């Protein structure tokens, strides 16, 4: 009998779920040429009941049509309520500043929530 789901993948997913419990912000990197294919199908399930925030970083934007990038960005930000940073590493990491701003904003939101519970602020994990 051949398993379609190798053990090393199941082991990696289990480990990933353990790590996610200690993470505040997940940066999911997707390829601009195939953004739907470069995500894991159950990322939403992994993050559903956690206080973990998520940002999608779409890379290789120089290799995809601007109209497609615009549509994906609009879809993720408006329909899915996921912030998006567009990145082009060929041009010195264009988009990295936007990504940092998004993560910093998320960190501020996390620390505001911590302050309401009487906890000290801390760096984003």
């Amino acid at each position: 009998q051949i398993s379609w789901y190798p053990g090393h993948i199941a082991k990696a997913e289990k480990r990933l779920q353990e790590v996610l419990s200690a993470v505040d912000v997940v940066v999911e990197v997707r390829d601009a040429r195939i953004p739907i294919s470069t995500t894991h199908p159950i990322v939403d399930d992994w993050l559903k009941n956690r206080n973990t925030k998520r940002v999608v970083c779409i890379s290789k934007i120089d290799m995809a049509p601007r109209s497609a990038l615009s549509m994906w960005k609009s879809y993720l930000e408006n329909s899915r309520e996921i912030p998006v940073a567009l990145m082009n590493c060929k041009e010195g990491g264009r988009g990295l500043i936007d990504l940092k701003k998004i993560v910093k904003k998320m960190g501020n939101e996390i620390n505001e929530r911590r302050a309401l519970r009487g906890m000290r602020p801390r760096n984003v994990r």
Side-chain angles (χ1 to χ4, degrees):
Q1 183 179 10
I2 298 174
S3 173
W4 66 272
Y5 203 71
H8 70 282
I9 294 175
K11 184 177 177 182
E13 285 183 357
K14 183 179 178 186
R15 178 72 179 122
L16 180 60
Q17 289 183 44
E18 292 169 4
V19 170
L20 284 175
S21 65
V23 172
D24 295 319
V25 178
V26 170
V27 177
E28 178 184 359
V29 180
R30 297 188 187 185
D31 189 315
R33 298 168 293 180
I34 49 172
I36 198 71
S37 299
T38 50
T39 186
H40 195 286
I42 58 175
V43 167
D44 291 330
D45 292 338
W46 289 335
L47 301 176
K48 186 170 33 178
N49 295 320
R50 302 177 189 273
N51 288 329
T52 306
K53 296 193 175 280
R54 173 183 182 190
V55 58
V56 170
C57 176
I58 299 180
S59 68
K60 299 183 181 180
I61 61 170
D62 59 315
M63 301 178 88
R66 288 182 193 261
S67 59
L69 293 172
S70 177
M71 288 188 314
W72 275 109
K73 185 172 170 55
S74 176
Y75 166 73
L76 291 168
E77 289 183 336
N78 299 326
S79 300
R80 302 286 311 278
E81 297 179 356
I82 301 171
V84 175
L86 301 176
M87 183 80 64
N88 185 353
C89 295
K90 267 189 167 179
E91 294 179 11
R94 190 182 79 190
L96 185 59
I97 292 171
D98 294 335
L99 178 60
K100 287 180 182 180
K101 285 179 186 175
I102 293 169
V103 171
K104 186 171 182 158
K105 180 181 176 193
M106 290 178 166
N108 290 338
E109 292 170 4
I110 290 165
N111 281 322
E112 287 171 10
R113 192 174 67 236
R114 288 175 59 85
L116 291 174
R117 296 186 318 213
M119 301 169 74
R120 287 191 193 154
R122 62 170 166 73
N123 291 331
V124 176
R125 302 176 291 170

